[in-house]
Amino acid sequence: EWEDLLAFFTRQVRMPACLTTAAGARIICKGDTYKLCSRIKAMAEVRQTIFCQTRDSIIRRVKETQRPVLGLCEARLFYLSIPIFKGGSLAGQVTACGLASQEDKINPFLLSRRLGIYEDEVRYLARSTPTGVEGEMLYLATRLFDELNPSLRSGGITPQCPGGQASGRAAPTSPA
């Protein structure tokens, strides 16, 4: 059930997606990581600086707002978290990351210094990373949030996206 949902969501957002615990530990993941993101995550110190700080900040915001949160890591790649509630408590999350922002461009100079590679190599790695827009990501996140947390819908209204259709999928049972 969760694997199907993650595969479906991965196709929608064009980013790898994971089911995680409330604290962010991965349970199941679907989708392939893009070259730039893979390079960042392969280096523990760089991963901590660029990715983990963003993840931890977004998890805090999810707990505060009890709503989906979208952010950008230092590499200017999207990180998305959709909370899953059970009995009023955060039971887990669906997360997705790695899509480049159309609005906030990747900074080859900064990343070359962090990764210890030439700017041209950063540009090469970034070429295979698709781009997306914040509004579309938030729309898709809100739709999934409403499917996973039907009692928390705000009046049953999901934001509209041009050409967007409700998936009509039933939410799987909670991960906890």
Side-chain angles (χ1 to χ4, degrees), residues 137-160:
M137 296 299 108
L138 287 173
Y139 166 75
L140 294 169
T142 301
R143 255 183 30 188
L144 182 58
F145 175 82
D146 286 348
E147 286 183 27
L148 296 173
N149 303 285
S151 65
L152 298 177
R153 288 183 185 178
S154 53
I157 298 170
T158 300
Q160 295 301 307

Side-chain angles (χ1 to χ4, degrees), residues 31-133:
D32 295 323
T33 305
Y34 299 113
K35 290 178 185 176
L36 179 59
C37 200
S38 291
R39 184 69 173 260
I40 291 166
K41 290 180 177 182
M43 302 173 69
E45 190 173 310
V46 176
R47 179 179 61 238
Q48 181 63 36
T49 304
I50 291 179
F51 170 72
C52 294
Q53 291 177 5
T54 301
R55 180 200 60 209
D56 295 346
S57 171
I58 287 178
I59 289 171
R60 280 192 300 277
R61 288 187 6 223
V62 161
K63 289 178 180 178
E64 290 170 8
T65 65
Q66 298 187 352
R67 301 293 301 165
V69 176
L70 176 68
L72 291 171
C73 71
E74 190 177 311
R76 312 319 292 160
L77 302 173
F78 284 122
Y79 185 93
L80 178 62
S81 178
I82 300 121
I84 304 165
F85 292 95
K86 183 175 183 180
S89 297
L90 183 63
Q93 303 170 76
V94 171
T95 62
C97 65
L99 192 69
S101 169
Q102 282 184 6
E103 296 91 4
D104 292 291
K105 300 295 181 195
I106 291 171
N107 183 334
F109 176 77
L110 171 78
L111 288 175
S112 71
R113 299 303 175 257
R114 292 269 195 251
L115 294 169
I117 61 177
Y118 292 107
E119 289 180 50
D120 286 342
E121 189 171 352
V122 171
R123 286 185 194 94
Y124 168 76
L125 294 170
R127 263 188 231 127
S128 67
T129 305
T131 60
V133 293

Side-chain angles (χ1 to χ4, degrees), residues 16-30:
C18 297
L19 174 66
T20 73
T21 65
R26 293 177 178 182
I27 299 170
I28 305 168
C29 295
K30 287 290 182 185

